[in-house]
């Protein structure tokens, strides 16, 4: 499941659910029971991410079931860590987009490193 996590994020993002995809990118699978219940843990406490994942719970389970037929349902575990909300700056958004592009395409990742490129809008 962990190996295909980025594919899951992209599948959710591709279906037009960008908030849920961002929430999944900030979460990770942490446990699975013998009954097929996968627990997803958020890295940090964020009510918006929790709500987005709960809303897409059945869609996440459906996609995972295509790859892993034994997964019956998905549950979301909120993080116990509490962090003060951060204001999203242009630099943070640019950095997050660049990191996402680098994860998806190894050629672009290498080019960014070799040519010291920056993301342009």
């Amino acid at each position: 499941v962990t190996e295909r996590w980025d594919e899951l994020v992209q599948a959710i993002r591709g279906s037009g659910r960008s908030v849920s995809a961002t929430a999944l990118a900030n979460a990770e699978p942490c446990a699975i029971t013998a009954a097929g219940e996968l627990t997803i843990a958020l890295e940090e406490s964020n009510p918006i991410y929790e709500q987005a994942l709960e809303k897409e719970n059945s869609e996440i389970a459906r996609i995972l079931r295509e790859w892993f037929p034994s997964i019956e349902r998905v549950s979301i575990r909120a993080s116990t860590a509490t962090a003060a909300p951060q204001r999203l700056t242009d630099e943070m958004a640019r950095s997050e987009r660049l990191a996402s592009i680098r994860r998806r395409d190894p050629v672009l990742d290498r080019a960014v490193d070799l040519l010291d490129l920056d993301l342009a809008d």
Side-chain angles (χ1 to χ4, degrees):
V1 174
T2 303
E3 289 177 6
R4 298 199 73 179
W5 199 252
D6 288 337
E7 289 179 60
L8 175 63
V9 171
Q10 291 307 316
I12 295 295
R13 190 175 313 279
S15 64
R17 298 171 176 105
S18 60
V19 174
S20 298
T22 302
L24 277 175
N26 288 289
E28 60 185 14
C30 64
I32 189 161
T33 66
E37 181 174 355
L38 174 70
T39 302
I40 298 173
L42 286 163
E43 294 173 355
E44 61 185 46
S45 181
N46 186 325
I48 294 171
Y49 287 171
E50 290 172 35
Q51 184 179 13
L53 291 178
E54 288 294 340
K55 181 179 175 188
E56 299 301 330
N57 195 337
S58 61
E59 180 64 13
I60 294 167
R62 185 194 65 74
I63 293 170
L64 286 170
R65 201 173 303 114
E66 289 176 8
W67 300 328
F68 308 100
S70 62
I71 293 178
E72 292 296 322
R73 63 185 169 276
V74 173
S75 64
I76 311 304
R77 185 175 76 195
S79 173
T80 56
T82 56
Q86 263 188 333
R87 174 172 238 130
L88 183 63
T89 64
D90 289 338
E91 181 61 33
M92 291 167 64
R94 187 177 303 115
S95 175
E96 186 175 315
R97 277 186 280 162
L98 181 59
S100 173
I101 289 170
R102 292 178 79 153
R103 279 193 305 267
R104 281 185 289 172
D105 191 338
V107 174
L108 284 177
D109 180 37
R110 184 79 174 134
V112 167
D113 287 338
L114 289 174
L115 301 173
D116 194 29
L117 298 175
D118 194 12
L119 183 65
D121 290 328

